[in-house]
Amino acid sequence: MIRVLIADDSAFMRKVLSDLFNGQSDFQVAGTAVNGADTIEKVKKLKPDLLTLDVQMPVMDGLEALAIIMEECPLPVVMVSSMTQAGTDATIRALALGAVDFVSKAGGPISKIDTIANEILEKCREAAQAHASKIRLSPADSKPLIFTPKKEKEPDLPATRRIEFKRRNTGFVPGQKPTITKIPTAATPVTPAKPIPNLTSNALSNKKLVAIGTSTGGPQALQTVITRLPGNLPCGVVVVQHMPAGFTKSLADRLNSISEIAVKEAENDEVIKAGQVYIAPGNFHMRVVPAAGGARKIALSQEPPVGNHRPAVNVMFDSVANIGKDLVSVIMTGMGCDGCEGMKKIKANGGYSIAQDESSCVVYGMPKAVVDAGLADEIKPLTKIAEAIVEAVRR
């Protein structure tokens, strides 16, 4: 039995949702709340299995209440949001705070509950199975990484040739006393350091690629990972997050505003650049295809859903599998097994794979399928995935 708390300032909505849940054999309404402050109190008192939470409420809105709940007494939360731009942005923020999923009110308050009743029940059943917890980042885990290219090893040469190698590269001469370099003073001009090489050259960006697939719990997971990726990452990153149209742009814009690496919603025929993250738009499949000059570009389509998903991780993974050893693929939290079939092709072509571990997943479905199939080269907690990506790109 799933005990659900309904939080909404509308008496009509509280009644409609109560009737909907009470009409199901696997749900029981534990109580209702009329504002954010009331919601926090009822969550602590009633300890429900699931919370449905309105965004716009008096006294304290849904986002404020959610932040406190996820900090003090986390539980699975499904947001009830409007389809306005403000409602969309608020929903993305809620998902980043830890809400599991959301239901959209079409055109404002729900007047015909029967049109979305099945969606509400399905999402709430799935959310009730989710693992909800506050992601706690240490200072080291929250700091953006810096990409440094792999250092070349000194060649294994005979002694005489090692001395010659050293002389050519450092000015060292056997038997000669080392030159003592004076510490610069205010009167001594300092020679400017050589500029750091541009790590986002076209040559590098056309070689490597990172592909990430995620679903339930993904917005929060993506925020944890993408905000740690370095701005000078020498390759592009493509992302499929299961999300309907209208929400992926808000997700991309939010991530872009808080990340060093650039993030945007992908566009058709857009050439993939280094140091850029491309998120598949809702309701569109995204593929990576060859472009002029050896580059790669985005191809969007509205072909039928694959595994009930559009965009689908399998579609994207299929399209990048032929990149071979220069591909770094990542599978993160999500319901079901989307991405597993595509990962099989990636591994068959020599690509590298990273899977999120069970303890840090909201739903250990998509990564589990990959891990159980023996397709994961690394299994990492969420807070270590960005570091694993950077290290894999550096190899």
Side-chain angles (χ1 to χ4, degrees):
M1 186 69 69
I2 303 169
R3 298 175 65 255
V4 58
L5 174 65
I6 299 165
D8 202 297
D9 63 323
S10 165
F12 169 73
M13 276 301 304
R14 294 195 300 274
K15 175 69 165 61
V16 167
L17 288 174
S18 293
D19 289 346
L20 175 64
F21 287 123
N22 282 330
Q24 306 299 310
S25 60
D26 55 342
F27 282 98
Q28 177 187 352
V29 176
T32 61
V34 298
N35 58 54
D38 187 29
T39 302
I40 296 169
E41 183 181 339
K42 296 276 180 65
V43 166
K44 292 179 177 179
K45 179 182 177 181
L46 300 173
K47 295 181 171 52
D49 303 313
L50 175 73
L51 169 66
T52 66
L53 182 61
D54 190 16
V55 173
Q56 296 177 331
M57 294 188 293
V59 183
M60 179 188 289
D61 68 24
L63 290 178
E64 291 178 89
L66 179 64
I68 294 171
I69 288 167
M70 296 310 294
E71 179 70 39
E72 298 182 0
C73 43
L75 80 163
V77 178
V78 174
M79 303 301 295
V80 181
S81 167
S82 69
M83 280 293 287
T84 63
Q85 185 59 50
T88 299
D89 292 342
T91 299
I92 295 301
R93 291 199 298 274
L95 294 171
L97 285 169
V100 175
D101 212 332
F102 66 95
V103 176
S104 298
K105 298 178 183 177
I110 301 174
S111 56
K112 292 185 178 179
I113 195 69
D114 57 314
T115 61
I116 59 169
N118 288 337
E119 180 188 359
I120 293 170
L121 295 171
E122 180 181 349
K123 288 187 173 182
C124 285
R125 286 187 179 106
E126 290 182 352
Q129 303 172 41
H131 171 68
S133 64
K134 171 73 175 176
I135 294 177
R136 301 186 185 279
L137 303 178
S138 69
D141 288 334
S142 58
K143 186 178 179 182
L145 299 165
I146 298 173
F147 186 89
T148 54
K150 188 177 180 181
K151 291 182 179 179
E152 293 296 327
K153 292 183 179 179
E154 183 176 325
D156 185 16
L157 301 171
T160 54
R161 293 190 62 194
R162 278 205 305 274
I163 292 172
E164 176 61 20
F165 174 86
K166 212 169 184 181
R167 186 192 66 75
R168 288 199 316 268
N169 288 275
T170 67
F172 165 79
V173 177
Q176 180 177 301
K177 290 183 178 180
T179 302
I180 299 174
T181 304
K182 293 182 180 179
I183 299 172
T185 64
T188 307
V190 179
T191 304
K194 290 183 180 180
I196 297 173
N198 178 12
L199 297 176
T200 58
S201 67
N202 285 335
L204 282 170
S205 66
N206 287 344
K207 188 178 181 183
K208 298 271 188 176
L209 185 73
V210 177
I212 301 174
T214 187
S215 184
T216 311
Q220 186 184 35
L222 288 171
Q223 179 169 312
T224 302
V225 172
I226 289 176
T227 55
R228 290 208 70 206
L229 292 180
N232 67 342
L233 191 72
C235 65
V237 180
V238 288
V239 177
V240 163
Q241 159 70 58
H242 294 160
M243 191 170 275
F247 288 88
T248 43
K249 187 177 188 308
S250 288
L251 174 63
D253 289 347
R254 173 175 170 74
L255 290 173
N256 186 61
S257 71
I258 58 177
S259 304
E260 282 196 1
I261 196 168
V263 186
K264 70 186 299 293
E265 185 181 55
E267 300 177 56
N268 194 43
D269 285 335
E270 186 170 18
V271 174
I272 295 173
K273 298 178 181 177
Q276 177 80 64
V277 178
Y278 302 86
I279 297 180
N283 204 32
F284 283 85
H285 287 309
M286 180 171 72
R287 291 180 172 86
V288 175
V289 299
R296 302 186 185 105
K297 66 179 182 179
I298 302 290
L300 302 178
S301 74
Q302 286 192 307
E303 295 169 38
V306 174
N308 295 320
H309 300 297
R310 188 171 63 195
V313 179
N314 273 327
V315 170
M316 179 182 69
F317 277 2
D318 283 353
S319 75
V320 298
N322 61 1
I323 295 173
K325 63 182 178 59
D326 290 322
L327 179 72
V328 179
S329 56
V330 184
I331 193 80
M332 300 199 302
T333 176
M335 188 79 66
C337 59
D338 187 24
C340 187
E341 289 302 314
M343 192 70 84
K344 290 178 183 177
K345 297 178 182 178
I346 288 171
K347 293 304 301 172
N349 283 274
Y352 196 77
S353 68
I354 300 166
Q356 185 177 348
D357 76 351
E358 183 175 5
S359 66
S360 66
C361 281
V362 172
V363 178
Y364 189 53
M366 289 161 55
K368 183 179 188 297
V370 168
V371 171
D372 287 354
L375 302 171
D377 292 301
E378 291 187 79
I379 303 169
K380 291 288 186 179
L382 181 60
T383 55
K384 299 299 181 184
I385 287 178
E387 189 176 345
I389 291 172
V390 170
E391 191 56 41
V393 169
R394 186 184 284 119
R395 292 190 185 99

mmCIF file with all atom_site columns, all heavy atoms in Angstrom, residues 35-48:
data_model
loop_
_atom_site.group_PDB
_atom_site.id
_atom_site.type_symbol
_atom_site.label_atom_id
_atom_site.label_alt_id
_atom_site.label_comp_id
_atom_site.label_asym_id
_atom_site.label_entity_id
_atom_site.label_seq_id
_atom_site.pdbx_PDB_ins_code
_atom_site.Cartn_x
_atom_site.Cartn_y
_atom_site.Cartn_z
_atom_site.occupancy
_atom_site.B_iso_or_equiv
_atom_site.pdbx_formal_charge
_atom_site.auth_seq_id
_atom_site.auth_comp_id
_atom_site.auth_asym_id
_atom_site.auth_atom_id
_atom_site.pdbx_PDB_model_num
ATOM 1   N N   . ASN A 1 35 ? -0.430 24.324 2.119  1.00 0.00 ? 35 ASN A N   1
ATOM 2   C CA  . ASN A 1 35 ? 0.675  25.213 1.735  1.00 0.00 ? 35 ASN A CA  1
ATOM 3   C C   . ASN A 1 35 ? 1.993  24.533 2.084  1.00 0.00 ? 35 ASN A C   1
ATOM 4   O O   . ASN A 1 35 ? 2.015  23.435 2.656  1.00 0.00 ? 35 ASN A O   1
ATOM 5   C CB  . ASN A 1 35 ? 0.553  26.581 2.417  1.00 0.00 ? 35 ASN A CB  1
ATOM 6   C CG  . ASN A 1 35 ? 0.531  26.482 3.937  1.00 0.00 ? 35 ASN A CG  1
ATOM 7   O OD1 . ASN A 1 35 ? 1.423  25.893 4.546  1.00 0.00 ? 35 ASN A OD1 1
ATOM 8   N ND2 . ASN A 1 35 ? -0.507 27.054 4.559  1.00 0.00 ? 35 ASN A ND2 1
ATOM 9   N N   . GLY A 1 36 ? 3.102  25.197 1.755  1.00 0.00 ? 36 GLY A N   1
ATOM 10  C CA  . GLY A 1 36 ? 4.401  24.580 1.965  1.00 0.00 ? 36 GLY A CA  1
ATOM 11  C C   . GLY A 1 36 ? 4.726  24.277 3.411  1.00 0.00 ? 36 GLY A C   1
ATOM 12  O O   . GLY A 1 36 ? 5.238  23.206 3.734  1.00 0.00 ? 36 GLY A O   1
ATOM 13  N N   . ALA A 1 37 ? 4.434  25.221 4.283  1.00 0.00 ? 37 ALA A N   1
ATOM 14  C CA  . ALA A 1 37 ? 4.716  25.023 5.706  1.00 0.00 ? 37 ALA A CA  1
ATOM 15  C C   . ALA A 1 37 ? 3.897  23.866 6.269  1.00 0.00 ? 37 ALA A C   1
ATOM 16  O O   . ALA A 1 37 ? 4.402  23.028 7.031  1.00 0.00 ? 37 ALA A O   1
ATOM 17  C CB  . ALA A 1 37 ? 4.425  26.307 6.475  1.00 0.00 ? 37 ALA A CB  1
ATOM 18  N N   . ASP A 1 38 ? 2.628  23.806 5.878  1.00 0.00 ? 38 ASP A N   1
ATOM 19  C CA  . ASP A 1 38 ? 1.749  22.719 6.311  1.00 0.00 ? 38 ASP A CA  1
ATOM 20  C C   . ASP A 1 38 ? 2.268  21.383 5.779  1.00 0.00 ? 38 ASP A C   1
ATOM 21  O O   . ASP A 1 38 ? 2.210  20.350 6.466  1.00 0.00 ? 38 ASP A O   1
ATOM 22  C CB  . ASP A 1 38 ? 0.333  22.995 5.806  1.00 0.00 ? 38 ASP A CB  1
ATOM 23  C CG  . ASP A 1 38 ? -0.695 22.008 6.341  1.00 0.00 ? 38 ASP A CG  1
ATOM 24  O OD1 . ASP A 1 38 ? -0.499 21.489 7.461  1.00 0.00 ? 38 ASP A OD1 1
ATOM 25  O OD2 . ASP A 1 38 ? -1.706 21.760 5.637  1.00 0.00 ? 38 ASP A OD2 1
ATOM 26  N N   . THR A 1 39 ? 2.814  21.402 4.557  1.00 0.00 ? 39 THR A N   1
ATOM 27  C CA  . THR A 1 39 ? 3.352  20.184 3.944  1.00 0.00 ? 39 THR A CA  1
ATOM 28  C C   . THR A 1 39 ? 4.522  19.624 4.745  1.00 0.00 ? 39 THR A C   1
ATOM 29  O O   . THR A 1 39 ? 4.581  18.413 5.019  1.00 0.00 ? 39 THR A O   1
ATOM 30  C CB  . THR A 1 39 ? 3.802  20.465 2.497  1.00 0.00 ? 39 THR A CB  1
ATOM 31  O OG1 . THR A 1 39 ? 2.695  20.965 1.739  1.00 0.00 ? 39 THR A OG1 1
ATOM 32  C CG2 . THR A 1 39 ? 4.336  19.206 1.831  1.00 0.00 ? 39 THR A CG2 1
ATOM 33  N N   . ILE A 1 40 ? 5.442  20.487 5.122  1.00 0.00 ? 40 ILE A N   1
ATOM 34  C CA  . ILE A 1 40 ? 6.608  20.037 5.900  1.00 0.00 ? 40 ILE A CA  1
ATOM 35  C C   . ILE A 1 40 ? 6.154  19.400 7.214  1.00 0.00 ? 40 ILE A C   1
ATOM 36  O O   . ILE A 1 40 ? 6.630  18.324 7.607  1.00 0.00 ? 40 ILE A O   1
ATOM 37  C CB  . ILE A 1 40 ? 7.556  21.221 6.172  1.00 0.00 ? 40 ILE A CB  1
ATOM 38  C CG1 . ILE A 1 40 ? 8.135  21.748 4.857  1.00 0.00 ? 40 ILE A CG1 1
ATOM 39  C CG2 . ILE A 1 40 ? 8.684  20.797 7.122  1.00 0.00 ? 40 ILE A CG2 1
ATOM 40  C CD1 . ILE A 1 40 ? 8.863  23.065 4.985  1.00 0.00 ? 40 ILE A CD1 1
ATOM 41  N N   . GLU A 1 41 ? 5.218  20.045 7.881  1.00 0.00 ? 41 GLU A N   1
ATOM 42  C CA  . GLU A 1 41 ? 4.706  19.535 9.154  1.00 0.00 ? 41 GLU A CA  1
ATOM 43  C C   . GLU A 1 41 ? 4.040  18.181 8.984  1.00 0.00 ? 41 GLU A C   1
ATOM 44  O O   . GLU A 1 41 ? 4.271  17.244 9.765  1.00 0.00 ? 41 GLU A O   1
ATOM 45  C CB  . GLU A 1 41 ? 3.708  20.539 9.743  1.00 0.00 ? 41 GLU A CB  1
ATOM 46  C CG  . GLU A 1 41 ? 3.157  20.144 11.106 1.00 0.00 ? 41 GLU A CG  1
ATOM 47  C CD  . GLU A 1 41 ? 2.158  21.147 11.643 1.00 0.00 ? 41 GLU A CD  1
ATOM 48  O OE1 . GLU A 1 41 ? 2.167  22.313 11.185 1.00 0.00 ? 41 GLU A OE1 1
ATOM 49  O OE2 . GLU A 1 41 ? 1.356  20.762 12.513 1.00 0.00 ? 41 GLU A OE2 1
ATOM 50  N N   . LYS A 1 42 ? 3.226  18.038 7.921  1.00 0.00 ? 42 LYS A N   1
ATOM 51  C CA  . LYS A 1 42 ? 2.496  16.788 7.689  1.00 0.00 ? 42 LYS A CA  1
ATOM 52  C C   . LYS A 1 42 ? 3.453  15.658 7.269  1.00 0.00 ? 42 LYS A C   1
ATOM 53  O O   . LYS A 1 42 ? 3.238  14.498 7.637  1.00 0.00 ? 42 LYS A O   1
ATOM 54  C CB  . LYS A 1 42 ? 1.429  16.997 6.607  1.00 0.00 ? 42 LYS A CB  1
ATOM 55  C CG  . LYS A 1 42 ? 0.321  17.994 7.002  1.00 0.00 ? 42 LYS A CG  1
ATOM 56  C CD  . LYS A 1 42 ? -0.763 17.330 7.814  1.00 0.00 ? 42 LYS A CD  1
ATOM 57  C CE  . LYS A 1 42 ? -1.865 18.318 8.222  1.00 0.00 ? 42 LYS A CE  1
ATOM 58  N NZ  . LYS A 1 42 ? -2.637 18.863 7.105  1.00 0.00 ? 42 LYS A NZ  1
ATOM 59  N N   . VAL A 1 43 ? 4.485  15.994 6.493  1.00 0.00 ? 43 VAL A N   1
ATOM 60  C CA  . VAL A 1 43 ? 5.461  14.967 6.102  1.00 0.00 ? 43 VAL A CA  1
ATOM 61  C C   . VAL A 1 43 ? 6.139  14.388 7.335  1.00 0.00 ? 43 VAL A C   1
ATOM 62  O O   . VAL A 1 43 ? 6.294  13.166 7.471  1.00 0.00 ? 43 VAL A O   1
ATOM 63  C CB  . VAL A 1 43 ? 6.515  15.553 5.124  1.00 0.00 ? 43 VAL A CB  1
ATOM 64  C CG1 . VAL A 1 43 ? 7.715  14.604 4.993  1.00 0.00 ? 43 VAL A CG1 1
ATOM 65  C CG2 . VAL A 1 43 ? 5.910  15.785 3.744  1.00 0.00 ? 43 VAL A CG2 1
ATOM 66  N N   . LYS A 1 44 ? 6.550  15.259 8.240  1.00 0.00 ? 44 LYS A N   1
ATOM 67  C CA  . LYS A 1 44 ? 7.227  14.796 9.460  1.00 0.00 ? 44 LYS A CA  1
ATOM 68  C C   . LYS A 1 44 ? 6.288  14.022 10.380 1.00 0.00 ? 44 LYS A C   1
ATOM 69  O O   . LYS A 1 44 ? 6.688  13.043 11.006 1.00 0.00 ? 44 LYS A O   1
ATOM 70  C CB  . LYS A 1 44 ? 7.813  15.997 10.201 1.00 0.00 ? 44 LYS A CB  1
ATOM 71  C CG  . LYS A 1 44 ? 8.959  16.664 9.461  1.00 0.00 ? 44 LYS A CG  1
ATOM 72  C CD  . LYS A 1 44 ? 9.500  17.863 10.228 1.00 0.00 ? 44 LYS A CD  1
ATOM 73  C CE  . LYS A 1 44 ? 10.692 18.480 9.513  1.00 0.00 ? 44 LYS A CE  1
ATOM 74  N NZ  . LYS A 1 44 ? 11.221 19.664 10.249 1.00 0.00 ? 44 LYS A NZ  1
ATOM 75  N N   . LYS A 1 45 ? 5.031  14.445 10.417 1.00 0.00 ? 45 LYS A N   1
ATOM 76  C CA  . LYS A 1 45 ? 4.069  13.818 11.319 1.00 0.00 ? 45 LYS A CA  1
ATOM 77  C C   . LYS A 1 45 ? 3.520  12.508 10.769 1.00 0.00 ? 45 LYS A C   1
ATOM 78  O O   . LYS A 1 45 ? 3.444  11.489 11.475 1.00 0.00 ? 45 LYS A O   1
ATOM 79  C CB  . LYS A 1 45 ? 2.915  14.786 11.586 1.00 0.00 ? 45 LYS A CB  1
ATOM 80  C CG  . LYS A 1 45 ? 1.827  14.236 12.497 1.00 0.00 ? 45 LYS A CG  1
ATOM 81  C CD  . LYS A 1 45 ? 0.704  15.254 12.673 1.00 0.00 ? 45 LYS A CD  1
ATOM 82  C CE  . LYS A 1 45 ? -0.427 14.693 13.527 1.00 0.00 ? 45 LYS A CE  1
ATOM 83  N NZ  . LYS A 1 45 ? -1.548 15.678 13.682 1.00 0.00 ? 45 LYS A NZ  1
ATOM 84  N N   . LEU A 1 46 ? 3.134  12.502 9.485  1.00 0.00 ? 46 LEU A N   1
ATOM 85  C CA  . LEU A 1 46 ? 2.443  11.350 8.903  1.00 0.00 ? 46 LEU A CA  1
ATOM 86  C C   . LEU A 1 46 ? 3.397  10.327 8.272  1.00 0.00 ? 46 LEU A C   1
ATOM 87  O O   . LEU A 1 46 ? 3.002  9.184  8.044  1.00 0.00 ? 46 LEU A O   1
ATOM 88  C CB  . LEU A 1 46 ? 1.435  11.829 7.853  1.00 0.00 ? 46 LEU A CB  1
ATOM 89  C CG  . LEU A 1 46 ? 0.331  12.781 8.367  1.00 0.00 ? 46 LEU A CG  1
ATOM 90  C CD1 . LEU A 1 46 ? -0.493 13.322 7.209  1.00 0.00 ? 46 LEU A CD1 1
ATOM 91  C CD2 . LEU A 1 46 ? -0.559 12.059 9.379  1.00 0.00 ? 46 LEU A CD2 1
ATOM 92  N N   . LYS A 1 47 ? 4.618  10.791 7.919  1.00 0.00 ? 47 LYS A N   1
ATOM 93  C CA  . LYS A 1 47 ? 5.615  9.904  7.295  1.00 0.00 ? 47 LYS A CA  1
ATOM 94  C C   . LYS A 1 47 ? 5.029  9.118  6.114  1.00 0.00 ? 47 LYS A C   1
ATOM 95  O O   . LYS A 1 47 ? 5.044  7.874  6.106  1.00 0.00 ? 47 LYS A O   1
ATOM 96  C CB  . LYS A 1 47 ? 6.207  8.952  8.329  1.00 0.00 ? 47 LYS A CB  1
ATOM 97  C CG  . LYS A 1 47 ? 7.013  9.660  9.420  1.00 0.00 ? 47 LYS A CG  1
ATOM 98  C CD  . LYS A 1 47 ? 7.593  8.667  10.417 1.00 0.00 ? 47 LYS A CD  1
ATOM 99  C CE  . LYS A 1 47 ? 8.569  9.343  11.362 1.00 0.00 ? 47 LYS A CE  1
ATOM 100 N NZ  . LYS A 1 47 ? 8.037  10.553 12.028 1.00 0.00 ? 47 LYS A NZ  1
ATOM 101 N N   . PRO A 1 48 ? 4.531  9.815  5.105  1.00 0.00 ? 48 PRO A N   1
ATOM 102 C CA  . PRO A 1 48 ? 3.951  9.128  3.937  1.00 0.00 ? 48 PRO A CA  1
ATOM 103 C C   . PRO A 1 48 ? 5.039  8.468  3.083  1.00 0.00 ? 48 PRO A C   1
ATOM 104 O O   . PRO A 1 48 ? 6.232  8.764  3.226  1.00 0.00 ? 48 PRO A O   1
ATOM 105 C CB  . PRO A 1 48 ? 3.281  10.270 3.168  1.00 0.00 ? 48 PRO A CB  1
ATOM 106 C CG  . PRO A 1 48 ? 4.092  11.478 3.518  1.00 0.00 ? 48 PRO A CG  1
ATOM 107 C CD  . PRO A 1 48 ? 4.510  11.280 4.941  1.00 0.00 ? 48 PRO A CD  1
#
